[in-house]
Amino acid sequence: MTKHPIWNPEMECMNRRDLEALQLERLKALVDYCDRNVKFYHDRLEKVGVTADKIKTLSDIQYIPYTTKTDLRDTYPFGMFSVPQNKLVRIHASSGTTGNPTVVGYTREDLDHWAEQVARLVYAAGANEETIVQICFGYGMFTGALGLHYGLEKVGATVVPTSAGNTEKQLKFMRDFGTTALVATPSYALYLAESARDMADRFPMEQYKLTLGLLGSEGCTPEMREQIEQRWGNGFFATDNYGMSELNGPGMSGECRERCGLHINEDHFLCEVIDSHTLDVLDKGATGELVVTALTKRGIPMLRYRTKDITSIDYSPCACGRTTARMHKIIGRSDDMLKIRGVNVFPSQVESALIGITEIGPHYQLVVRRQGFADTLEVRVELIDGSLLERYGELEALQKRIHDRIRAILGIEITVSLVEPKSLDRYTGKAQRVLDLRNAGGTAAR
Ligand code: DLL
């Protein structure tokens, strides 16, 4: 196999002029489709006077209004669907913490496109017919498991659909089946590795054959990835994969073996980066909120969907040979961004500061409170060696070191709490790093 196998060279290595021509043709077809089949879009497009024939260049997309999660919630469950039920072959939903979940539907053609999108990314990461892959995402309404499942089957991998949780069983199957690849959130991949190490006296690490991690669905700093790779050992190589249920699920973008950004399936997804406050489209390369138009999706079409995820896009060619643009790893969500005493704080910044300090584990929690008129941020970090809690001098020195490091990055005052090993919650799905108690009156139980 060559160093950089490419699943669909025709689409992944297209020259930009041809790609843009294809995007324009698909955009016009999509606008026409939305206009004719979804009342919600018809009304919006009519209001601004946009019809498909008025779109002459890709930049004319700017005349189309943005679509948001609120629009999906307001039209719950099927108000933005474009086809009758007998044309839908699948429904997924993302769990809303408040209000209605967002519901998405797929036509048969949508499922074919989705599998193709995922196939390209997992193949770029190194999965193929030699791969035995355990999918540790929850099967169900979440798009992660079934999305990866069909893409991995498409490239010929042997899929083991273990779903989330039951860590001991996961590890047993890994050892017994000779599993070579893992699909999980970064936090669960780390937890699995820690659990494997905890059991290493009974089941030595050499019994695991894992060499590839297809991680995604939540952020993972390069430092965190290094921790995951080190804990698995054996040359374990992890890639970052991005997507969201409104855009099919996983499959929008993912890293190749060069790992210098997440390749976007640009023939299916037209991306823009905007300023979340002014809503202006930013210049190429600038950092801001990602807005995506799903060019080929039909069950529930998406025109200029505001993802709330913060990133930038690099259009320069990649050493792997693909010409598709690459998204920077997600820096944070514009709505998860914590505003503390006027300063923007992303959990990923704290994560970068923590990793590399050998006395602490990679699990952490941010607790935000309001004291009087001021917001406070407590960073809870797990010690690796619990006996340090008895050695006050050393504990204090470590606390200060961590404090100074985070403070230097965030530029605001914080407190650091060092807690017992393994006392913070572990997650089999997306980790909940932030406990924001500002509207809850104040105290956090551990
Ligand atoms: O998490 C889809 C997915 C599943 C992607 C599996 C990759 C792998 P949702 O549950 O709708 O869909 O959540 C979407 O999760 O807007 C981001 O905020 C976050 N997210 C997803 N992937 C990443 C990533 C799936 N690689 C929301 N890095 C998105 C950072 C991510 N955040």
Side-chain angles (χ1 to χ4, degrees):
M1 201 171 43
T2 58
K3 190 176 165 219
H4 291 297
I6 298 178
W7 179 255
N8 187 339
E10 189 191 335
M11 289 301 169
E12 296 176 75
C13 306
M14 202 181 261
N15 75 52
R16 190 140 289 274
R17 221 191 40 220
D18 292 347
L19 175 66
E20 289 184 354
L22 178 65
Q23 288 180 320
L24 181 60
E25 182 191 312
R26 289 185 170 175
L27 176 64
K28 287 167 75 87
L30 175 68
V31 170
D32 182 50
Y33 181 85
C34 288
D35 199 6
R36 283 185 295 107
N37 296 291
V38 185
K39 184 173 179 322
F40 167 89
Y41 283 125
H42 171 82
D43 293 349
R44 285 225 172 151
L45 291 168
E46 190 174 56
K47 207 163 163 191
V48 293
V50 172
T51 50
D53 55 329
K54 287 202 179 139
I55 297 192
K56 305 281 185 220
T57 67
L58 283 178
S59 67
D60 288 340
I61 197 172
Q62 65 183 297
Y63 303 114
I64 299 173
Y66 296 115
T67 305
T68 62
K69 210 179 204 36
T70 311
D71 295 326
L72 274 126
R73 292 208 165 123
D74 290 349
T75 53
Y76 174 87
F78 304 143
M80 287 176 66
F81 284 25
S82 73
V83 290
Q85 172 274 322
N86 64 2
K87 294 279 179 271
L88 288 177
V89 293
R90 177 96 63 80
I91 286 176
H92 279 283
S94 78
S95 56
T97 39
T98 53
N100 284 329
T102 46
V103 181
V104 290
Y106 304 73
T107 62
R108 186 162 300 286
E109 198 188 19
D110 289 339
L111 288 191
D112 291 344
H113 285 146
W114 190 14
E116 163 71 18
Q117 291 152 13
V118 175
R120 291 181 195 171
L121 303 180
V122 299
Y123 199 66
N128 54 42
E129 54 197 12
E130 307 302 328
T131 306
I132 303 175
V133 56
Q134 216 158 300
I135 299 190
C136 311
F137 283 142
Y139 278 73
M141 296 309 273
F142 176 54
T143 55
L146 286 168
L148 264 308
H149 185 113
Y150 287 101
L152 281 156
E153 282 188 353
K154 195 172 170 85
V155 301
T158 307
V159 173
V160 186
T162 43
S163 200
N166 207 345
T167 302
E168 289 214 6
K169 185 65 94 32
Q170 299 273 7
L171 295 173
K172 177 177 168 54
F173 284 149
M174 274 179 202
R175 296 188 303 270
D176 295 350
F177 298 176
T179 302
T180 58
L182 174 69
V183 169
T185 54
S187 46
Y188 193 49
L190 182 66
Y191 180 54
L192 278 165
E194 283 180 338
S195 305
R197 289 198 171 270
D198 286 348
M199 297 178 351
D201 51 338
R202 282 181 294 148
F203 307 110
M205 290 305 286
E206 297 73 60
Q207 292 186 6
Y208 297 94
K209 302 286 173 265
L210 280 186
T211 52
L212 175 64
L214 296 162
L215 309 184
S217 188
E218 66 180 19
C220 179
T221 55
E223 295 84 356
M224 168 84 147
R225 166 156 74 199
E226 211 177 300
Q227 297 277 319
I228 298 169
E229 291 182 341
Q230 271 173 17
R231 278 172 168 71
W232 278 114
N234 189 32
F236 185 81
F237 183 93
T239 63
D240 187 5
N241 297 278
Y242 170 83
M244 63 199 318
S245 47
E246 296 88 327
L247 305 169
N248 283 341
M252 199 205 117
S253 65
E255 285 175 319
C256 67
R257 303 289 292 190
E258 293 290 324
R259 294 199 301 202
C260 50
L262 286 75
H263 284 277
I264 301 169
N265 276 314
E266 284 187 280
D267 51 327
H268 293 279
F269 301 103
L270 178 59
C271 294
E272 301 166 86
V273 174
I274 67 164
D275 179 315
S276 308
H277 301 290
T278 63
L279 304 186
D280 291 336
V281 177
L282 300 177
D283 290 340
K284 283 196 165 165
T287 299
E289 179 182 336
L290 179 70
V291 169
V292 185
T293 297
L295 296 170
T296 52
K297 211 157 85 76
R298 289 297 183 263
I300 176 162
M302 281 298 143
L303 279 177
R304 298 193 94 198
Y305 188 69
R306 286 188 59 186
T307 65
K308 302 278 175 139
D309 293 316
I310 309 294
T311 186
S312 59
I313 300 179
D314 182 351
Y315 290 84
S316 68
C318 177
C320 73
R322 289 174 186 78
T323 51
T324 44
R326 287 158 292 132
M327 266 171 55
H328 192 281
K329 274 177 168 302
I330 299 295
I331 297 166
R333 280 183 62 78
S334 59
D335 55 3
D336 275 359
M337 186 179 76
L338 293 164
K339 232 335 184 243
I340 298 175
R341 296 195 291 279
V343 176
N344 296 343
V345 173
F346 288 107
S348 60
Q349 292 175 293
V350 175
E351 185 174 308
S352 303
L354 292 177
I355 287 176
I357 302 176
T358 51
E359 297 90 334
I360 56 172
H363 300 278
Y364 64 95
Q365 186 180 40
L366 308 186
V367 185
V368 194
R369 296 187 185 81
R370 179 154 295 149
Q371 282 174 354
F373 291 107
D375 296 334
T376 62
L377 174 61
E378 176 194 357
V379 181
R380 291 177 177 170
V381 195
E382 269 181 15
L383 288 167
I384 286 183
D385 172 7
S387 71
L388 206 69
L389 287 166
E390 318 284 313
R391 305 202 295 274
Y392 296 113
E394 278 175 63
L395 192 72
E396 232 172 76
L398 175 61
Q399 214 157 11
K400 179 168 181 338
R401 188 145 54 92
I402 298 172
H403 167 273
D404 293 351
R405 219 153 137 166
I406 301 176
R407 200 190 175 294
I409 290 182
L410 302 185
I412 55 166
E413 199 44 69
I414 52 143
T415 57
V416 172
S417 305
L418 295 169
V419 302
E420 296 264 6
K422 309 215 162 131
S423 60
L424 295 177
D425 287 340
R426 300 290 193 264
Y427 298 92
T428 58
K430 295 184 199 232
Q432 304 284 318
R433 305 280 190 209
V434 180
L435 199 57
D436 193 339
L437 301 172
R438 280 179 288 193
N439 296 318
T443 46
R446 285 214 173 126

